[in-house]
Amino acid sequence: MGRNRMGRWGAAAFVVMGLVGGTLLPATPAAAVHGAVPGDFNGDGYRDAVLPAPGANVSGKEAAGAVVVLYGSASGLSATRRRTITQNTSGVPGAAEAYDRFGSATATADLNRDGYADLVVTSPYEDTTAGANAGAVTVLWGGRNGLTSGTSLPTPSGRPTSYGLDVAALSTGAGARTRVMVAGWDAAVEFAGPFTRAGGYGSVAVHDKTPSLESTALGDFDRDAVPDPAVATTRGGGMTGGSLYTTLAHGEELRGEGLIVAAGDVNGDGYADLVSGDPDEPEVEGVDGASGGRVLVWYGSASGITKDAKPVQITQNTAGVPGASESGDAFGGALAVADLNRDGLADIVVGAPYEDLAKSRAGMVTVVPGHRTGALGTGAYSFSQDTAGVPGGSETDDFFGTTVSVGDVDKDGRPELLAGASGENNSTGAVWVFPGGNARPTTTGSRMFTASSVGLTQYNGTDLGGHGLLWVI
């Protein structure tokens, strides 16, 4: 199966689009790209993993969506220590309805600063009084008994569309230093603390000058202890990827493109750096992308990240990076930034869900370590289902690397790497957990969680682990 530069849905899926109120509206659903990092929701000292399943059927409602929480412990994660949360769960706002896709995007942070991690969950195709597919965002509040209650984060936008396509949350301190960013087709919506368990927040702003978003992230790019936003729009203007902004205003586009963004301190200078994944095939090689996909890195500074800053490019042809750039790999189709080797520098985790291995579009995940000096790429390594010790085996259209995240779930100080494969087992999906090792995650003791292993038994389309960018690449 070939892919053109518009992705596996093909250009035809994007022909029927129009401008409504200045916002580009899609004929098909857009992506919801990020999954939550593990967080300690019950305060037992172990971080708990979040496995979204936005395609899960709930009480006969197709693709109403669910989130499965696997509780951390000294022995890691187990399918027997879990809780499944839907909009029919007591204490959760709303009700499960067909195609809400609850769990499409998730984010973790201690929003109310009570010592328990909280989970933000989106359902971007929720029908509300604002209209069909207006979208909704729910905060599930952590506590001694875990995630037992929730409140809504309503958008003040007058005409919301797919509110909750992506979400980011970050707390660098009390009050306004705790923020939630929500991406939608009409705008980016930014909430600032203080947040309360009753659903209160300090302020909210609608950024409607950068609509038609695919992804959002938060990072302290200028080291002022206040989270700064970053967004990626959908494709436009004949370029690969979409436009990228850290100043959310028309004309402030960064130099470079992408469909997904993440943040972390890659070079250890104290400033968060912005990373984007640009998995599209270029129209003109070297001008607006790279064959096989690419990742771009902008380094933070006292001035933040300005539109004139030139990014560093990483591809599979970069020295030290495993594999080779091949047309259609979709390198950069998933993204996370976190310190996996405990050297104080954030590493870049890159999904290439269309990577051909023994089988077509089996997928691969590559980790590019952070460096204080020198070129990025040195010391990079990869995982796939063909890697020795990894459960399962590569099959056509598994899309291993659909989603990626990082977090220490067994409290040994060595973070685990989590990788999703949306196409596994008839698109019911699966998530692999690679235990943290002395210098990097290891396949020894790695585990594979399928939809059926966590109690989701429908025949197809569960999307355990999330569907990431697969609807648009």
Side-chain angles (χ1 to χ4, degrees):
M1 179 179 70
R3 291 192 310 131
N4 60 26
R5 67 176 299 275
M6 291 299 291
R8 71 185 179 104
W9 287 89
F14 287 82
V15 169
V16 188
M17 302 178 75
L19 285 170
V20 179
T23 300
L24 191 64
L25 299 182
T28 59
V33 299
H34 276 133
V37 300
D40 185 4
F41 303 122
N42 59 3
D44 64 354
Y46 296 95
R47 295 190 179 193
D48 312 310
V50 179
L51 277 56
N57 299 340
V58 179
S59 300
K61 306 294 185 181
E62 189 171 354
V67 171
V68 179
V69 176
L70 300 181
Y71 291 105
S73 72
S75 57
L77 302 174
S78 168
T80 61
R81 298 189 301 272
R82 70 174 191 263
R83 183 168 188 241
T84 301
I85 301 171
T86 74
Q87 287 182 291
N88 282 353
T89 300
S90 177
V92 177
E97 299 166 318
Y99 305 109
D100 282 350
R101 295 193 179 274
F102 179 80
S104 284
T106 53
T108 306
D110 183 2
L111 296 182
N112 60 348
R113 309 282 296 177
D114 65 351
Y116 298 95
D118 309 306
L119 180 64
V120 187
V121 183
T122 78
S123 42
Y125 309 110
E126 178 98 20
D127 294 344
T128 74
T129 55
N133 295 329
V137 174
T138 301
V139 179
L140 302 176
W141 298 100
R144 185 174 58 182
N145 296 316
L147 302 170
T148 57
S149 66
T151 57
S152 296
L153 272 183
T155 174
S157 173
R159 299 179 64 185
T161 307
S162 297
Y163 169 66
L165 284 173
D166 197 19
V167 65
L170 179 64
S171 179
T172 59
R177 293 182 178 182
T178 298
R179 307 228 168 169
V180 175
M181 282 288 297
V182 184
W185 276 107
D186 60 311
V189 181
E190 183 175 13
F191 295 88
F195 293 87
T196 69
R197 195 180 183 92
Y201 49 85
S203 64
V204 61
V206 176
H207 302 284
D208 59 2
K209 304 303 181 184
T210 55
S212 305
L213 300 182
E214 296 288 3
S215 179
T216 188
L218 288 165
D220 186 4
F221 302 124
D222 56 6
R223 206 166 63 178
D224 65 353
V226 176
D228 303 309
V231 299
T233 74
T234 193
R235 301 176 181 92
M239 59 186 181
T240 67
S243 297
L244 304 170
Y245 299 84
T246 53
T247 299
L248 305 189
H250 182 70
E252 294 296 325
E253 300 91 341
L254 299 181
R255 296 172 61 184
E257 300 83 36
L259 292 172
I260 181 172
V261 287
D265 187 1
V266 175
N267 62 354
D269 64 356
Y271 297 97
D273 308 311
L274 176 65
V275 184
S276 80
D278 185 17
D280 282 350
E281 293 301 308
E283 285 199 347
V284 181
E285 182 71 34
V287 174
D288 65 344
S291 182
R294 64 178 181 171
V295 167
L296 299 177
V297 181
W298 292 260
Y299 291 110
S301 70
S303 301
I305 296 171
T306 65
K307 67 178 182 179
D308 295 325
K310 184 178 180 180
V312 174
Q313 176 176 284
I314 305 168
T315 73
Q316 286 181 287
N317 285 343
T318 298
V321 176
S325 295
E326 300 165 317
S327 179
D329 283 347
F331 182 80
L335 199 62
V337 181
D339 185 2
L340 279 161
N341 59 2
R342 300 175 295 156
D343 64 353
L345 309 174
D347 308 313
I348 304 170
V349 185
V350 186
Y354 285 95
E355 178 80 27
D356 292 342
L357 299 172
K359 302 291 185 178
S360 298
R361 299 169 299 279
M364 187 168 72
V365 171
T366 299
V367 178
V368 180
H371 289 287
R372 296 186 188 277
T373 60
L376 292 171
T378 303
Y381 53 93
S382 63
F383 295 102
S384 74
Q385 290 189 71
D386 290 343
T387 302
V390 177
S394 291
E395 300 169 310
T396 298
D397 292 338
D398 273 351
F399 308 122
F400 181 85
T402 302
T403 55
V404 290
S405 61
V406 173
D408 181 8
V409 299
D410 56 7
K411 206 170 63 173
D412 66 353
R414 299 177 294 186
E416 277 67 49
L417 170 62
L418 287 75
S422 179
E424 181 75 24
N425 296 339
N426 207 26
S427 294
T428 56
V431 175
W432 283 256
V433 181
F434 298 95
N438 291 328
R440 70 187 206 185
T442 176
T443 60
T444 303
S446 59
R447 299 204 56 187
M448 173 185 179
F449 294 93
T450 63
S452 60
S453 75
V454 296
L456 302 174
T457 58
Q458 70 197 61
Y459 176 70
N460 59 28
T462 312
D463 269 346
L464 185 72
H467 49 69
L469 283 174
L470 286 189
W471 281 357
V472 297
I473 62 174

